[in-house]
CSV table of all heavy atoms in Angstrom, one decimal:
chain,number,residue,atom,x,y,z
A,120,LEU,N,13.8,13.2,-1.3
A,120,LEU,CA,13.6,14.3,-0.5
A,120,LEU,C,14.6,14.4,0.6
A,120,LEU,O,15.1,15.5,1.0
A,120,LEU,CB,12.2,14.4,0.0
A,120,LEU,CG,11.0,14.6,-1.0
A,120,LEU,CD1,9.7,14.6,-0.3
A,120,LEU,CD2,11.2,15.9,-1.7
A,121,ILE,N,14.9,13.3,1.2
A,121,ILE,CA,15.8,13.2,2.3
A,121,ILE,C,17.2,13.7,1.8
A,121,ILE,O,17.9,14.5,2.5
A,121,ILE,CB,15.9,11.8,2.9
A,121,ILE,CG1,14.6,11.5,3.6
A,121,ILE,CG2,17.1,11.7,3.9
A,121,ILE,CD1,14.5,10.1,4.2
A,122,ARG,N,17.6,13.2,0.6
A,122,ARG,CA,18.9,13.6,0.1
A,122,ARG,C,19.0,15.1,-0.2
A,122,ARG,O,19.9,15.8,0.2
A,122,ARG,CB,19.1,12.8,-1.3
A,122,ARG,CG,20.4,12.1,-1.4
A,122,ARG,CD,20.6,11.4,-2.7
A,122,ARG,NE,19.5,11.3,-3.6
A,122,ARG,CZ,18.7,10.2,-3.7
A,122,ARG,NH1,19.0,9.1,-3.0
A,122,ARG,NH2,17.7,10.1,-4.6
A,123,ILE,N,17.9,15.6,-0.8
A,123,ILE,CA,17.9,17.1,-1.1
A,123,ILE,C,17.9,17.9,0.1
A,123,ILE,O,18.6,18.9,0.2
A,123,ILE,CB,16.6,17.4,-2.0
A,123,ILE,CG1,16.7,16.6,-3.3
A,123,ILE,CG2,16.6,18.9,-2.3
A,123,ILE,CD1,15.4,16.6,-4.1
A,124,SER,N,17.2,17.5,1.2
A,124,SER,CA,17.1,18.3,2.4
A,124,SER,C,18.5,18.3,3.1
A,124,SER,O,18.9,19.4,3.6
A,124,SER,CB,16.0,17.8,3.4
A,124,SER,OG,16.4,16.6,3.9
A,125,ARG,N,19.2,17.2,3.0
A,125,ARG,CA,20.5,17.1,3.6
A,125,ARG,C,21.5,18.0,2.9
A,125,ARG,O,22.3,18.8,3.5
A,125,ARG,CB,21.1,15.7,3.6
A,125,ARG,CG,20.4,14.9,4.7
A,125,ARG,CD,21.1,13.6,5.0
A,125,ARG,NE,20.3,12.8,5.9
A,125,ARG,CZ,20.0,11.5,5.8
A,125,ARG,NH1,20.5,10.9,4.8
A,125,ARG,NH2,19.3,10.9,6.7
A,126,LYS,N,21.4,17.9,1.5
A,126,LYS,CA,22.3,18.7,0.7
A,126,LYS,C,22.0,20.2,1.0
A,126,LYS,O,23.0,21.1,1.1
A,126,LYS,CB,22.1,18.4,-0.8
A,126,LYS,CG,23.2,18.8,-1.6
A,126,LYS,CD,23.1,18.2,-3.0
A,126,LYS,CE,23.8,19.1,-4.0
A,126,LYS,NZ,23.2,19.2,-5.3
A,127,ALA,N,20.8,20.6,1.1
A,127,ALA,CA,20.4,22.0,1.3
A,127,ALA,C,20.6,22.4,2.7
A,127,ALA,O,20.6,23.7,3.0
A,127,ALA,CB,18.9,22.2,0.9
A,128,GLY,N,20.8,21.5,3.6
A,128,GLY,CA,21.0,21.8,5.1
A,128,GLY,C,19.7,22.4,5.6
A,128,GLY,O,19.7,23.3,6.5
A,129,LYS,N,18.6,21.9,5.1
A,129,LYS,CA,17.3,22.5,5.6
A,129,LYS,C,16.5,21.4,6.4
A,129,LYS,O,16.6,20.2,6.1
A,129,LYS,CB,16.5,23.0,4.4
A,129,LYS,CG,17.1,24.2,3.7
A,129,LYS,CD,17.1,25.4,4.6
A,129,LYS,CE,18.1,26.4,4.1
A,129,LYS,NZ,18.3,27.6,4.9
A,130,VAL,N,15.6,21.9,7.3
A,130,VAL,CA,14.8,21.0,8.0
A,130,VAL,C,13.7,20.4,7.1
A,130,VAL,O,13.1,21.1,6.3
A,130,VAL,CB,14.1,21.7,9.2
A,130,VAL,CG1,13.0,20.8,9.9
A,130,VAL,CG2,15.1,22.3,10.2
A,131,LEU,N,13.5,19.1,7.2
A,131,LEU,CA,12.4,18.4,6.5
A,131,LEU,C,11.7,17.6,7.6
A,131,LEU,O,12.2,16.6,8.1
A,131,LEU,CB,12.9,17.5,5.4
A,131,LEU,CG,11.9,16.6,4.7
A,131,LEU,CD1,10.8,17.5,4.0
A,131,LEU,CD2,12.5,15.7,3.6
A,132,MET,N,10.5,18.1,7.8
A,132,MET,CA,9.7,17.5,8.9
A,132,MET,C,8.4,17.0,8.3
A,132,MET,O,7.9,17.5,7.4
A,132,MET,CB,9.4,18.6,10.0
A,132,MET,CG,8.5,18.2,11.1
A,132,MET,SD,8.6,19.4,12.5
A,132,MET,CE,7.0,19.1,13.2
A,133,VAL,N,7.9,15.8,8.9
A,133,VAL,CA,6.6,15.3,8.4
A,133,VAL,C,5.5,15.5,9.4
A,133,VAL,O,5.8,15.4,10.6
A,133,VAL,CB,6.8,13.8,8.1
A,133,VAL,CG1,5.5,13.2,7.3
A,133,VAL,CG2,8.0,13.5,7.3
A,134,GLY,N,4.3,15.8,8.9
A,134,GLY,CA,3.2,16.1,9.8
A,134,GLY,C,2.6,15.0,10.5
A,134,GLY,O,1.3,14.8,10.5
A,135,HIS,N,3.3,14.1,11.2
A,135,HIS,CA,2.7,13.0,12.0
A,135,HIS,C,2.3,13.6,13.3
A,135,HIS,O,2.9,13.4,14.4
A,135,HIS,CB,3.7,11.9,12.2
A,135,HIS,CG,4.0,11.2,10.9
A,135,HIS,ND1,3.0,10.5,10.2
A,135,HIS,CD2,5.0,11.1,10.1
A,135,HIS,CE1,3.4,10.0,9.1
A,135,HIS,NE2,4.7,10.3,9.0
A,136,THR,N,1.1,14.3,13.3
A,136,THR,CA,0.6,15.1,14.4
A,136,THR,C,0.4,14.4,15.7
A,136,THR,O,0.6,14.9,16.7
A,136,THR,CB,-0.8,15.7,13.9
A,136,THR,OG1,-0.7,16.0,12.6
A,136,THR,CG2,-1.2,16.9,14.8
A,137,PHE,N,0.1,13.1,15.6
A,137,PHE,CA,-0.2,12.3,16.8
A,137,PHE,C,1.0,12.2,17.8
A,137,PHE,O,0.8,12.0,18.9
A,137,PHE,CB,-0.8,11.0,16.5
A,137,PHE,CG,-2.3,11.0,16.3
A,137,PHE,CD1,-2.8,11.1,15.0
A,137,PHE,CD2,-3.1,11.1,17.3
A,137,PHE,CE1,-4.1,11.2,14.8
A,137,PHE,CE2,-4.5,11.1,17.1
A,137,PHE,CZ,-5.0,11.2,15.8
A,138,LEU,N,2.2,12.4,17.2
A,138,LEU,CA,3.4,12.3,18.0
A,138,LEU,C,3.5,13.6,18.9
A,138,LEU,O,4.3,13.6,19.8
A,138,LEU,CB,4.7,12.1,17.2
A,138,LEU,CG,5.0,10.6,17.0
A,138,LEU,CD1,3.8,9.8,16.4
A,138,LEU,CD2,6.2,10.4,16.1
A,139,PHE,N,2.7,14.6,18.6
A,139,PHE,CA,2.7,15.8,19.4
A,139,PHE,C,1.4,15.8,20.2
A,139,PHE,O,1.1,16.8,20.8
A,139,PHE,CB,2.7,17.0,18.5
A,139,PHE,CG,4.0,17.0,17.7
A,139,PHE,CD1,4.1,16.5,16.4
A,139,PHE,CD2,5.2,17.5,18.2
A,139,PHE,CE1,5.2,16.5,15.7
A,139,PHE,CE2,6.4,17.5,17.5
A,139,PHE,CZ,6.4,17.0,16.3
A,140,ASN,N,0.7,14.7,20.3
A,140,ASN,CA,-0.5,14.7,21.0
A,140,ASN,C,-0.2,14.3,22.5
A,140,ASN,O,0.4,13.2,22.7
A,140,ASN,CB,-1.5,13.6,20.4
A,140,ASN,CG,-2.8,13.6,21.0
A,140,ASN,OD1,-3.0,13.6,22.2
A,140,ASN,ND2,-3.9,13.6,20.1
A,141,PRO,N,-0.6,15.1,23.5
A,141,PRO,CA,-0.2,14.8,24.8
A,141,PRO,C,-0.7,13.4,25.3
A,141,PRO,O,0.0,12.8,26.1
A,141,PRO,CB,-0.9,15.9,25.6
A,141,PRO,CG,-1.0,17.0,24.7
A,141,PRO,CD,-1.3,16.4,23.3
A,142,ALA,N,-1.8,13.0,24.8
A,142,ALA,CA,-2.3,11.6,25.1
A,142,ALA,C,-1.4,10.5,24.7
A,142,ALA,O,-1.1,9.6,25.4
A,142,ALA,CB,-3.7,11.4,24.6
A,143,VAL,N,-0.9,10.7,23.4
A,143,VAL,CA,0.0,9.7,22.9
A,143,VAL,C,1.4,9.7,23.6
A,143,VAL,O,1.9,8.6,24.0
A,143,VAL,CB,0.2,9.9,21.3
A,143,VAL,CG1,1.3,9.0,20.8
A,143,VAL,CG2,-1.1,9.7,20.6
A,144,ASN,N,1.8,10.9,24.0
A,144,ASN,CA,3.1,11.0,24.7
A,144,ASN,C,2.9,10.3,26.1
A,144,ASN,O,3.8,9.6,26.6
A,144,ASN,CB,3.5,12.5,25.0
A,144,ASN,CG,3.7,13.3,23.7
A,144,ASN,OD1,3.5,14.5,23.7
A,144,ASN,ND2,4.1,12.6,22.6
A,145,LYS,N,1.7,10.5,26.7
A,145,LYS,CA,1.4,9.9,28.0
A,145,LYS,C,1.4,8.3,27.9
A,145,LYS,O,1.9,7.6,28.8
A,145,LYS,CB,0.0,10.4,28.5
A,145,LYS,CG,-0.2,10.1,29.9
A,145,LYS,CD,0.5,11.1,30.8
A,145,LYS,CE,0.6,10.6,32.2
A,145,LYS,NZ,1.5,11.4,33.0
A,146,ILE,N,0.8,7.9,26.8
A,146,ILE,CA,0.7,6.4,26.6
A,146,ILE,C,2.1,5.8,26.5
A,146,ILE,O,2.5,4.8,27.1
A,146,ILE,CB,-0.2,6.0,25.4
A,146,ILE,CG1,-1.6,6.5,25.6
A,146,ILE,CG2,-0.1,4.5,25.2
A,146,ILE,CD1,-2.5,6.4,24.4
A,147,LYS,N,3.0,6.5,25.8
A,147,LYS,CA,4.4,6.1,25.6
A,147,LYS,C,5.0,6.0,27.0
A,147,LYS,O,5.7,5.0,27.3
A,147,LYS,CB,5.1,7.0,24.7
A,147,LYS,CG,6.6,6.5,24.4
A,147,LYS,CD,7.3,7.3,23.4
A,147,LYS,CE,8.8,6.9,23.2
A,147,LYS,NZ,9.1,5.6,22.8
A,148,GLU,N,4.8,7.0,27.8
A,148,GLU,CA,5.4,7.0,29.2
A,148,GLU,C,4.9,5.8,30.0
A,148,GLU,O,5.6,5.1,30.6
A,148,GLU,CB,4.9,8.3,29.8
A,148,GLU,CG,5.6,8.7,31.1
A,148,GLU,CD,4.9,9.9,31.7
A,148,GLU,OE1,4.8,10.9,31.0
A,148,GLU,OE2,4.6,9.9,32.9
A,149,ILE,N,3.5,5.6,29.9
A,149,ILE,CA,2.9,4.5,30.7
A,149,ILE,C,3.5,3.1,30.3
A,149,ILE,O,3.9,2.3,31.1
A,149,ILE,CB,1.4,4.5,30.5
A,149,ILE,CG1,0.8,5.7,31.2
A,149,ILE,CG2,0.7,3.2,31.0
A,149,ILE,CD1,-0.7,6.0,30.9
A,150,ILE,N,3.6,2.9,28.9
A,150,ILE,CA,4.1,1.7,28.4
A,150,ILE,C,5.6,1.5,28.7
A,150,ILE,O,6.0,0.4,29.0
A,150,ILE,CB,3.7,1.5,26.9
A,150,ILE,CG1,2.2,1.3,26.9
A,150,ILE,CG2,4.4,0.4,26.3
A,150,ILE,CD1,1.6,1.1,25.5
A,151,SER,N,6.3,2.6,28.6
A,151,SER,CA,7.8,2.5,28.8
A,151,SER,C,8.1,2.1,30.3
A,151,SER,O,9.0,1.5,30.6
A,151,SER,CB,8.5,3.8,28.5
A,151,SER,OG,8.2,4.2,27.2
A,152,LYS,N,7.2,2.6,31.2
A,152,LYS,CA,7.4,2.3,32.6
A,152,LYS,C,6.8,0.9,33.0
A,152,LYS,O,6.7,0.5,34.1
A,152,LYS,CB,6.6,3.3,33.5
A,152,LYS,CG,7.3,4.7,33.6
A,152,LYS,CD,6.5,5.5,34.6
A,152,LYS,CE,6.9,6.9,34.6
A,152,LYS,NZ,5.8,7.7,35.2
A,153,LYS,N,6.4,0.2,31.9
A,153,LYS,CA,5.9,-1.2,32.1
A,153,LYS,C,4.6,-1.3,32.9
A,153,LYS,O,4.4,-2.3,33.6
A,153,LYS,CB,6.9,-2.1,32.6
A,153,LYS,CG,8.2,-2.2,31.8
A,153,LYS,CD,8.2,-3.5,31.0
A,153,LYS,CE,9.5,-3.7,30.2
A,153,LYS,NZ,9.5,-3.1,28.9
A,154,GLU,N,3.8,-0.2,33.0
A,154,GLU,CA,2.7,-0.2,33.8
A,154,GLU,C,1.6,-1.1,33.3
A,154,GLU,O,0.7,-1.6,34.1
A,154,GLU,CB,2.1,1.3,34.0
A,154,GLU,CG,2.9,2.1,34.9
A,154,GLU,CD,2.4,3.5,35.0
A,154,GLU,OE1,1.2,3.7,34.8
A,154,GLU,OE2,3.2,4.4,35.2
A,155,LEU,N,1.6,-1.5,32.0
A,155,LEU,CA,0.7,-2.5,31.5
A,155,LEU,C,1.3,-3.9,31.5
A,155,LEU,O,0.7,-4.8,31.1
A,155,LEU,CB,0.3,-2.1,30.1
A,155,LEU,CG,-0.3,-0.7,29.8
A,155,LEU,CD1,-0.8,-0.6,28.4
A,155,LEU,CD2,-1.4,-0.4,30.7
A,156,GLY,N,2.6,-3.9,31.9
A,156,GLY,CA,3.3,-5.2,31.9
A,156,GLY,C,3.9,-5.4,30.4
A,156,GLY,O,4.2,-4.4,29.8
A,157,ARG,N,3.9,-6.6,30.0
A,157,ARG,CA,4.4,-6.9,28.6
A,157,ARG,C,3.3,-6.7,27.7
A,157,ARG,O,2.2,-7.1,28.0
A,157,ARG,CB,4.9,-8.3,28.6
A,157,ARG,CG,5.4,-8.7,27.2
A,157,ARG,CD,6.2,-10.1,27.3
A,157,ARG,NE,5.3,-11.2,27.1
A,157,ARG,CZ,4.8,-11.6,26.0
A,157,ARG,NH1,5.0,-11.0,24.9
A,157,ARG,NH2,4.0,-12.7,26.0
A,158,ILE,N,3.5,-6.0,26.6
A,158,ILE,CA,2.4,-5.8,25.6
A,158,ILE,C,2.2,-7.0,24.8
A,158,ILE,O,3.1,-7.6,24.1
A,158,ILE,CB,2.7,-4.6,24.7
A,158,ILE,CG1,2.9,-3.3,25.5
A,158,ILE,CG2,1.6,-4.4,23.6
A,158,ILE,CD1,1.6,-2.8,26.3
A,159,TYR,N,1.0,-7.5,24.9
A,159,TYR,CA,0.6,-8.7,24.0
A,159,TYR,C,0.2,-8.2,22.6
A,159,TYR,O,0.7,-8.7,21.7
A,159,TYR,CB,-0.6,-9.4,24.7
A,159,TYR,CG,-0.4,-10.3,25.9
A,159,TYR,CD1,-1.4,-10.4,26.8
A,159,TYR,CD2,0.8,-10.9,26.0
A,159,TYR,CE1,-1.2,-11.2,27.9
A,159,TYR,CE2,1.1,-11.7,27.1
A,159,TYR,CZ,0.1,-11.9,28.1
A,159,TYR,OH,0.3,-12.7,29.1
A,160,TYR,N,-0.9,-7.4,22.6
A,160,TYR,CA,-1.4,-6.9,21.3
A,160,TYR,C,-2.0,-5.5,21.4
A,160,TYR,O,-2.3,-5.0,22.5
A,160,TYR,CB,-2.2,-7.9,20.6
A,160,TYR,CG,-3.7,-8.0,21.1
A,160,TYR,CD1,-4.7,-7.4,20.4
A,160,TYR,CD2,-4.1,-8.7,22.2
A,160,TYR,CE1,-6.0,-7.4,20.8
A,160,TYR,CE2,-5.4,-8.8,22.6
A,160,TYR,CZ,-6.3,-8.1,21.9
A,160,TYR,OH,-7.7,-8.2,22.3
A,161,ILE,N,-2.2,-4.9,20.2
A,161,ILE,CA,-2.8,-3.6,20.1
A,161,ILE,C,-3.7,-3.6,19.0
A,161,ILE,O,-3.5,-4.2,17.9
A,161,ILE,CB,-1.7,-2.5,19.7
A,161,ILE,CG1,-0.5,-2.5,20.8
A,161,ILE,CG2,-2.3,-1.1,19.6
A,161,ILE,CD1,0.7,-1.7,20.4
A,162,HIS,N,-5.0,-3.1,19.2
A,162,HIS,CA,-5.8,-2.9,18.0
A,162,HIS,C,-6.4,-1.5,17.9
A,162,HIS,O,-6.6,-0.8,18.9
A,162,HIS,CB,-6.9,-4.0,17.9
A,162,HIS,CG,-7.9,-4.0,19.0
A,162,HIS,ND1,-9.1,-3.3,18.8
A,162,HIS,CD2,-8.0,-4.6,20.1
A,162,HIS,CE1,-9.8,-3.5,19.9
A,162,HIS,NE2,-9.2,-4.3,20.7
A,163,SER,N,-6.5,-1.1,16.7
A,163,SER,CA,-6.8,0.3,16.4
A,163,SER,C,-7.9,0.5,15.4
A,163,SER,O,-7.9,-0.3,14.4
A,163,SER,CB,-5.5,1.0,15.9
A,163,SER,OG,-5.8,2.4,15.8
A,164,ARG,N,-8.8,1.3,15.7
A,164,ARG,CA,-9.9,1.5,14.7
A,164,ARG,C,-9.9,3.0,14.4
A,164,ARG,O,-10.0,3.9,15.2
A,164,ARG,CB,-11.3,1.2,15.3
A,164,ARG,CG,-11.5,-0.3,15.4
A,164,ARG,CD,-12.9,-0.7,15.7
A,164,ARG,NE,-13.3,-0.2,17.1
A,164,ARG,CZ,-14.5,-0.1,17.5
A,164,ARG,NH1,-15.5,-0.4,16.7
A,164,ARG,NH2,-14.8,0.2,18.8
A,165,ARG,N,-9.9,3.3,13.1
A,165,ARG,CA,-9.9,4.7,12.6
A,165,ARG,C,-10.9,4.7,11.4
A,165,ARG,O,-10.6,4.4,10.3
A,165,ARG,CB,-8.5,5.1,12.1
A,165,ARG,CG,-8.2,6.5,12.1
A,165,ARG,CD,-6.7,6.8,11.9
A,165,ARG,NE,-6.0,6.4,13.1
A,165,ARG,CZ,-5.9,7.2,14.2
A,165,ARG,NH1,-6.3,8.4,14.3
A,165,ARG,NH2,-5.2,6.7,15.2
A,166,THR,N,-12.1,5.0,11.8
A,166,THR,CA,-13.2,4.8,10.8
A,166,THR,C,-14.1,6.1,10.8
A,166,THR,O,-14.1,6.9,11.8
A,166,THR,CB,-14.2,3.6,11.2
A,166,THR,OG1,-14.8,3.9,12.4
A,166,THR,CG2,-13.4,2.4,11.3
A,167,ASN,N,-14.8,6.3,9.7
A,167,ASN,CA,-15.7,7.4,9.6
A,167,ASN,C,-16.5,7.2,8.3
A,167,ASN,O,-16.2,6.3,7.5
A,167,ASN,CB,-15.0,8.7,9.5
A,167,ASN,CG,-15.8,9.9,9.9
A,167,ASN,OD1,-17.0,9.8,10.3
A,167,ASN,ND2,-15.3,11.1,9.9
A,168,LEU,N,-17.5,8.0,8.1
A,168,LEU,CA,-18.2,8.0,6.8
A,168,LEU,C,-17.5,9.1,6.0
A,168,LEU,O,-17.9,10.2,6.1
A,168,LEU,CB,-19.7,8.2,7.0
A,168,LEU,CG,-20.6,7.8,5.9
A,168,LEU,CD1,-20.4,6.3,5.5
A,168,LEU,CD2,-22.1,8.0,6.3
A,169,GLY,N,-16.6,8.7,5.1
A,169,GLY,CA,-15.8,9.7,4.3
A,169,GLY,C,-14.8,10.3,5.3
A,169,GLY,O,-14.6,9.9,6.4
A,170,PRO,N,-14.2,11.5,5.0
A,170,PRO,CA,-14.2,12.0,3.6
A,170,PRO,C,-13.4,11.2,2.6
A,170,PRO,O,-12.3,10.7,3.0
A,170,PRO,CB,-13.7,13.4,3.8
A,170,PRO,CG,-12.8,13.3,5.0
A,170,PRO,CD,-13.4,12.3,5.9
A,171,LEU,N,-13.9,11.0,1.4
A,171,LEU,CA,-13.1,10.2,0.4
A,171,LEU,C,-12.1,11.1,-0.2
A,171,LEU,O,-12.3,12.3,-0.6
A,171,LEU,CB,-14.1,9.7,-0.7
A,171,LEU,CG,-15.4,9.1,-0.2
A,171,LEU,CD1,-16.2,8.7,-1.4
A,171,LEU,CD2,-15.1,7.9,0.7
A,172,ARG,N,-10.9,10.5,-0.4
A,172,ARG,CA,-9.8,11.2,-1.1
A,172,ARG,C,-9.8,10.7,-2.6
A,172,ARG,O,-10.3,9.6,-2.9
A,172,ARG,CB,-8.5,11.0,-0.5
A,172,ARG,CG,-8.5,11.5,0.9
A,172,ARG,CD,-7.1,12.0,1.4
A,172,ARG,NE,-7.2,12.6,2.7
A,172,ARG,CZ,-7.4,13.9,3.0
A,172,ARG,NH1,-7.5,14.7,2.0
A,172,ARG,NH2,-7.5,14.3,4.2
A,173,LYS,N,-9.2,11.5,-3.5
A,173,LYS,CA,-9.2,11.1,-4.9
A,173,LYS,C,-7.8,10.5,-5.3
A,173,LYS,O,-7.7,10.0,-6.3
A,173,LYS,CB,-9.4,12.3,-5.7
A,173,LYS,CG,-10.8,12.9,-5.6
A,173,LYS,CD,-11.2,13.9,-6.7
A,173,LYS,CE,-12.6,14.4,-6.5
A,173,LYS,NZ,-12.6,15.6,-5.6
Side-chain angles (χ1 to χ4, degrees):
L120 290 179
I121 293 176
R122 235 183 345 261
I123 300 167
S124 70
R125 283 194 186 135
K126 198 169 157 214
K129 295 291 160 186
V130 172
L131 174 58
M132 174 165 156
V133 190
H135 290 297
T136 322
F137 276 95
L138 271 54
F139 299 94
N140 188 312
V143 171
N144 301 151
K145 193 76 197 174
I146 297 169
K147 182 170 172 69
E148 190 187 309
I149 291 171
I150 289 180
S151 304
K152 285 188 192 156
K153 302 257 182 273
E154 286 179 27
L155 307 185
R157 181 167 85 77
I158 298 298
Y159 283 150
Y160 80 97
I161 301 167
H162 67 90
S163 185
R164 285 192 293 163
R165 203 166 292 275
T166 66
N167 201 0
L168 201 52
L171 311 180
R172 299 211 176 264
K173 295 194 182 86

